[in-house]
Amino acid sequence: MTDKSSQSLFEEALRYIPGGVNSPVRAFKAVQSDPVFIARAAGSRIYDVEGREYIDYVCSWGPMILGHRHSEVTAAVQEAAEKGTSYGAPTALEVEMAKLIVDAFPSVELVRMVSSGTEAAMSAIRLARGYTGREKIIKFEGCYHGHADSLLVKAGSGVATLGIPGSPGIPHQLAALTITVPYNDTDTFIKAIDMHGPDLACVIIEPVAGNMGVILPRHGFLETIRDITRRYGILLIFDEVITGFRLTYGGFQNLVGINPDLTCLGKIIGGGLPVGAFGGKGEIMEKLAPSGPVYQAGTLSGNPMAMAAGITTLNILRRNEGNYDILNTKTSLLCNELQKLFDHTQIPVCINRTGSMFTVFFSGHEVYDFAGAAKSDTELYARYFRNMLANGVSLAPSQFEASFLSLAHTDEDIEKTLDACARSLKTL
Ligand code: KE4
């Protein structure tokens, strides 16, 4: 373990890494803090380089559903490493992972492994464009599908109009092919279809949004999207990078009985190692090289260590169907008790939860789209985050992220979290 502090490590990191981090949200800018450098983790806890212990609700942004350093996952990775770390050739592990995914997702007949959620979404969109011969896509405001150019696009001037770059470096011509629609806004979605339907290759959506904070689809929203896209020959892509194996042993699609044409996965299926996947109908997936003309590739796709970690994680989730009830019950208890604490202090919050993912929005209104999420008091969230961190609880360092429970979170963890919250609210 390093003998350096988070502060000294951050100062050094800034000399070699843009912003001192390898992914922006870790810089804690949204909560006006300097980042905490983590030395190790086990179960529901993470430990910073100065030895401080935190109850962890980030869970590496979703993958650690079993908790950190699960003994069987660690052993599987060690065993895989003993055989070498990468071959650049097919392995039995990739077949086993593919079979697990196909067996868990009725909508998935073939699946391709990649190394990140960004790759999964980027590749799924290229496949949709190649399969349909069309170029435009629809995404939803506040949904995040990784940082591929076509997806870092924000709504144009009017609603459902052609997109504009959401970041420097994205060609306007490309951004213009992405139409952004408000989440849960069926009328505007239909308007966008009326305007662009014959030119649309796909619609991509987080069936439960996690990247503007947790936002659930309103009744009929997803069903309408599925019905209309089917009628227009537009591929429907469910981005289940977060929700895949988070809410049930499969996807949110299993719970709502909707079959998208393509599904993106990541996070949990890698057990904490770099992973992504996209899969769907065989006739679509067969268009991918080498069976078809749509090119997609990856040096470390299906990496044996990532497969070993992911397969072990999925097998543990699968062998006890009660796991999801445990996760849901614990998260429901936590959120209900958090609500009571906030109600007691008259601080208006909207707590959105499904399964073991949740967000405390510092807003007095129901939050059902990005505009609503954006009305949250992010300053207050930042103060809450800092107080909770000081009280030994690690939450998502942004109002617009999801927090997660793992199977390692105990009733004692929940109690300690509620105590930390009560103390944190006193000095908010
Ligand atoms: P990655 O490329 O970060 O593996 O996955 C991109 C991605 C795709 N789809 C969804 C629904 C996602 O949530 C993500 C990534 N999630 C963020 C957190 N909300 C990753 C954390 C980060 O960017 O550091």
Side-chain angles (χ1 to χ4, degrees):
M1 182 168 119
T2 170
D3 57 359
K4 295 181 176 173
S5 65
S6 284
Q7 184 184 347
S8 65
L9 279 168
F10 187 43
E11 286 162 7
E12 189 176 6
L14 285 165
R15 288 173 47 204
Y16 303 104
I17 307 170
V21 292
N22 284 312
S23 199
V25 70
R26 303 178 192 172
F28 281 17
K29 281 190 179 298
V31 288
Q32 294 105 45
S33 290
D34 284 342
V36 172
F37 280 62
I38 300 303
R40 64 185 182 90
S44 61
R45 306 300 170 95
I46 55 173
Y47 303 83
D48 71 20
V49 291
E50 292 159 70
R52 289 189 200 89
E53 178 178 323
Y54 307 91
I55 301 172
D56 178 30
Y57 289 96
V58 177
C59 296
S60 182
W61 303 101
M64 310 320 292
I65 193 167
L66 301 180
H68 292 288
R69 210 190 67 189
H70 189 287
S71 57
E72 292 177 62
V73 175
T74 304
V77 173
Q78 288 169 333
E79 184 185 345
E82 288 299 321
K83 299 171 185 168
T85 53
S86 177
Y87 319 124
T91 65
L93 288 171
E94 291 160 86
V95 180
E96 190 176 352
M97 171 60 84
K99 193 174 179 321
L100 284 171
I101 293 171
V102 167
D103 288 349
F105 284 79
S107 71
V108 176
E109 294 171 342
L110 293 176
V111 60
R112 169 66 56 86
M113 300 310 299
V114 292
S115 296
S116 70
T118 292
E119 265 191 280
M122 173 183 75
S123 309
I125 283 170
R126 182 181 313 127
L127 176 58
R129 285 171 162 157
Y131 178 78
T132 61
R134 306 176 188 176
E135 294 190 345
K136 288 181 182 174
I137 69 173
I138 285 180
K139 77 174 289 289
F140 291 83
E141 189 181 27
C143 285
Y144 175 70
H145 308 286
H147 59 89
D149 283 356
S150 287
L151 292 162
L152 286 187
V153 172
K154 53 191 182 187
S157 54
V159 175
T161 56
L162 307 186
I164 56 177
S167 160
I170 293 164
H172 279 271
Q173 304 91 317
L174 185 61
L177 295 174
T178 300
I179 292 93
T180 302
V181 170
Y183 199 82
N184 275 323
D185 185 340
T186 302
D187 292 344
T188 304
F189 173 73
I190 291 169
K191 209 173 289 174
I193 295 291
D194 290 343
M195 291 168 71
H196 307 283
D199 302 328
L200 283 164
C202 64
V203 171
I204 185 168
I205 190 167
E206 291 180 64
V208 170
N211 286 288
M212 43 181 151
V214 175
I215 290 184
L216 293 162
R218 284 186 147 174
H219 179 71
F221 177 57
L222 296 176
E223 291 77 1
T224 302
I225 292 172
R226 175 63 290 181
D227 174 47
I228 290 177
T229 50
R230 183 176 286 118
R231 275 193 275 134
Y232 273 80
I234 301 166
L235 298 193
L236 176 56
I237 303 174
F238 269 14
D239 180 345
E240 299 224 40
V241 166
I242 287 180
T243 52
F245 297 101
R246 168 58 57 181
L247 307 173
T248 185
Y249 186 75
F252 184 70
Q253 58 190 266
N254 302 49
L255 297 176
V256 291
I258 294 175
N259 282 342
D261 299 296
L262 294 173
T263 296
C264 300
L265 296 171
K267 297 183 192 275
I268 289 172
I269 66 167
L273 271 69
V275 77
F278 63 106
K281 288 181 184 149
E283 64 169 288
I284 301 170
M285 294 298 290
E286 288 286 3
K287 293 291 182 191
L288 270 181
S291 46
V294 179
Y295 196 69
Q296 183 277 329
T299 303
L300 297 173
S301 298
N303 172 269
M305 292 170 66
M307 296 299 97
I311 289 164
T312 305
T313 298
L314 297 188
N315 283 334
I316 291 167
L317 289 170
R318 185 168 54 137
R319 78 184 175 212
N320 178 2
E321 284 297 323
N323 281 330
Y324 289 99
D325 291 336
I326 293 167
L327 284 164
N328 299 348
T329 303
K330 279 202 176 114
T331 312
S332 174
L333 170 68
L334 172 64
C335 291
N336 292 340
E337 293 306 312
L338 285 172
Q339 185 68 62
K340 289 177 191 170
L341 289 171
F342 281 99
D343 290 347
H344 184 66
T345 55
Q346 267 91 45
I347 296 173
V349 293
C350 167
I351 300 180
N352 284 354
R353 175 194 75 84
T354 183
S356 53
M357 57 192 281
F358 69 97
T359 297
V360 178
F361 288 102
F362 279 69
S363 166
H365 310 285
E366 182 199 357
V367 178
Y368 56 84
D369 62 10
F370 182 69
K375 290 191 187 116
S376 303
D377 186 335
T378 52
E379 285 300 313
L380 204 49
Y381 180 85
R383 289 210 297 278
Y384 173 64
F385 170 87
R386 295 194 298 269
N387 286 3
M388 289 291 272
L389 197 67
N391 283 306
V393 175
S394 169
L395 300 173
S398 163
Q399 171 69 94
F400 308 117
E401 293 287 357
S403 291
F404 302 95
L405 258 77
S406 80
L407 284 166
H409 283 72
T410 63
D411 293 342
E412 185 194 4
D413 289 330
I414 306 296
E415 279 309 310
K416 285 185 174 176
T417 303
L418 295 169
D419 291 344
C421 181
R423 288 198 302 276
S424 298
L425 295 184
K426 285 198 178 80
T427 57
L428 206 54

